[in-house]
Amino acid sequence: MFSRDRWEEILEALNANKFRTFLTAFGVFWGITILVLLLALTNGLKNGVTADFGDFATNSMFMWTQGTSKPYKGLPKGRYFNYKIGDVAAIKSQIPNLKYVSPRNQLGGFRGANNVIRGTKTGAFEIYGDYPEFIKQQPLDILQGRFISYSDIEAKRKICVIGTGVVKGLYDKNEDVLGTYIKVNGVNFLVVGTFKMSNSQGDSEQDASTIYIPFTTFSQAFNRGENVGWMAITANDGTSITTLKQQVFDLMKSRHKVHPEDDRAIGHFDLSEQFERVNGLFSILTIVGYFVGALVLMSGIIGISNIMLIVVKERTKEIGVRRALGASPWTIKSQILQESLILTILSGMVGISFAALVIWVMNTILDNVGPVQNFANPSVSMQVVFTALIILVVSGLLAGLIPANSATKMKPVDALRIE
């Protein structure tokens, strides 16, 4: 039940020595501030590092061929081989729980020799031969026109989708791009779309300086035949590509007469495995953040408990009088606990507010100066705020528990004797 007299007594007790109250509250304020900021900084690091994965489907892997390290079935060690378009169909039909299997071919390089011409302008760009589903693995923001379609694949149309870097290098400002032609290694391609990367994987300029053309057109125009440079493979939701990749490797070894124990012949990069490692690392950092923050907060709680013991000792005679007038032990205990709880919660809420202000300042600075490598959007969720509030309530009760018990153990006669 609300008691105005009780609250007035609590506020009077806290105001009796304002400087002592301030120093006591500062310990909790600083502890909760450190806790929230540590978790925000951990999230900032996590957001920055995971941004390096881009928007590429994280349950994916890339697979390419390398030289064999063991002789097999009369074939020598050190043999090189190529994936074929038939391998893609075999993987789709024989390996379950795969969402996308995208064959890819590549021509040129971002920092290589000039390979694209339009009028008097030339540039060095990365040219990829892809299937339409690749945009579902690597999301792109289509700015104009469209991406590759299956009708392009079947008809082997000489069309292309170009990045903003290509537009900037080959076109004048505000010049119409769609419906124009560019020449890639002497072959003309019609521009049907422009794009920008949804999220760059470390080199935004390189990503924007990319040209996508239909896989079948690429193979025909640049004499690749049935060869596949590498594959991007994505597993179904709920199934990790890490658990399926060995089946894919075994199938490819069987189809290309590679020794079953030759682990060097097939190169791969497991994006899912790397992503899980990063998540595991930041889960540990989050636990460390909670632990360090809790230790700092604990020092503040101990300070409150010590001060409340001093307050109880200073008010020994008052407590004796109240006991002599009929106040129950619980009445005395509840007042001490309420004083501790209010002091803890008020200082803690100020700490949370201050931490939120610091986080806002950090995000404002990041917005103004631009992206920072491996750090982005430091923030905390409402779950963290609620957890902090629970910690404050529990801490306030614990801080007042020992002083409250000390107060109720006093006998009224002994308390009244103390000068």
Side-chain angles (χ1 to χ4, degrees), residues 70 91 105 136 188 213 249 264 276 294 307 313 316 337 343 369:
K70 295 182 179 182
I91 292 173
N105 275 323
K136 298 177 181 178
N188 286 314
I213 65 177
F249 298 158
R264 201 184 74 179
E276 287 301 320
I307 293 301
K313 187 173 182 180
T316 299
L337 287 174
L343 186 59
V369 303

Side-chain angles (χ1 to χ4, degrees), residues 215-247:
F215 183 89
T216 50
T217 308
F218 186 104
S219 298
Q220 184 180 65
F222 304 119
N223 299 318
R224 296 298 176 91
E226 295 292 313
N227 290 342
V228 173
W230 78 97
M231 302 183 204
I233 304 175
T234 303
N236 286 330
D237 296 340
T239 303
S240 173
I241 190 65
T242 304
T243 63
L244 299 176
K245 63 183 181 181
Q246 192 57 50
Q247 298 178 48

Side-chain angles (χ1 to χ4, degrees), residues 66-109:
Q66 300 177 152
T68 60
S69 62
K70 295 182 179 182
Y72 187 62
K73 291 186 176 180
L75 297 172
K77 173 183 175 181
R79 175 176 60 94
Y80 287 88
F81 62 99
N82 292 304
Y83 294 133
K84 303 294 182 180
I85 195 65
D87 294 330
V88 177
I91 292 173
K92 289 180 178 179
S93 64
Q94 297 184 42
I95 308 298
N97 296 318
L98 291 180
K99 194 172 185 178
Y100 305 115
V101 181
S102 299
R104 305 195 72 194
N105 275 323
Q106 179 183 357
L107 179 70

Side-chain angles (χ1 to χ4, degrees), residues 230-280:
W230 78 97
M231 302 183 204
I233 304 175
T234 303
N236 286 330
D237 296 340
T239 303
S240 173
I241 190 65
T242 304
T243 63
L244 299 176
K245 63 183 181 181
Q246 192 57 50
Q247 298 178 48
V248 177
F249 298 158
D250 291 342
L251 177 61
M252 291 298 97
K253 289 176 182 178
S254 174
R255 288 178 62 87
H256 292 278
K257 297 181 180 180
V258 175
H259 195 288
E261 296 179 1
D262 189 344
D263 295 328
R264 201 184 74 179
I266 296 178
H268 77 285
F269 180 79
D270 188 340
L271 195 61
S272 174
E273 188 175 54
Q274 299 301 318
F275 191 73
E276 287 301 320
R277 287 180 181 176
V278 169
N279 278 339

Side-chain angles (χ1 to χ4, degrees), residues 223-417:
N223 299 318
R224 296 298 176 91
E226 295 292 313
N227 290 342
V228 173
W230 78 97
M231 302 183 204
I233 304 175
T234 303
N236 286 330
D237 296 340
T239 303
S240 173
I241 190 65
T242 304
T243 63
L244 299 176
K245 63 183 181 181
Q246 192 57 50
Q247 298 178 48
V248 177
F249 298 158
D250 291 342
L251 177 61
M252 291 298 97
K253 289 176 182 178
S254 174
R255 288 178 62 87
H256 292 278
K257 297 181 180 180
V258 175
H259 195 288
E261 296 179 1
D262 189 344
D263 295 328
R264 201 184 74 179
I266 296 178
H268 77 285
F269 180 79
D270 188 340
L271 195 61
S272 174
E273 188 175 54
Q274 299 301 318
F275 191 73
E276 287 301 320
R277 287 180 181 176
V278 169
N279 278 339
L281 170 63
F282 284 104
S283 295
I284 294 173
L285 287 179
T286 299
I287 293 173
V288 171
Y290 271 110
F291 180 72
V292 174
L295 288 180
V296 178
L297 181 61
M298 186 61 65
S299 65
I301 299 304
I302 292 173
I304 288 182
S305 185
N306 287 333
I307 293 301
M308 293 306 296
L309 283 171
I310 295 173
V311 169
V312 168
K313 187 173 182 180
E314 290 176 346
R315 295 163 59 187
T316 299
K317 193 167 186 177
E318 175 196 331
I319 293 171
V321 170
R322 295 184 64 186
R323 289 293 304 278
L325 292 176
S328 66
W330 170 246
T331 302
I332 304 297
K333 179 182 288 188
S334 63
Q335 181 173 352
I336 302 298
L337 287 174
Q338 285 178 0
E339 291 179 15
S340 172
L341 196 58
I342 290 171
L343 186 59
T344 304
I345 291 178
L346 286 178
S347 55
M349 290 302 296
V350 174
I352 291 175
S353 301
F354 179 72
L357 176 62
V358 174
I359 293 170
W360 177 81
V361 170
M362 284 193 292
N363 279 293
T364 301
I365 293 173
L366 288 174
D367 290 340
N368 291 332
V369 303
V372 176
Q373 188 174 8
N374 294 332
F375 191 78
N377 187 29
S379 59
V380 292
S381 63
M382 288 304 297
Q383 180 182 356
V384 171
V385 175
F386 288 131
T387 301
L389 288 175
I390 292 172
I391 291 174
L392 287 174
V393 172
V394 173
S395 300
L397 292 174
L398 291 176
L401 193 59
I402 296 176
N405 286 333
S406 175
T408 56
K409 287 178 181 179
M410 294 183 188
K411 294 181 180 180
V413 175
D414 295 335
L416 290 171
R417 285 176 180 168

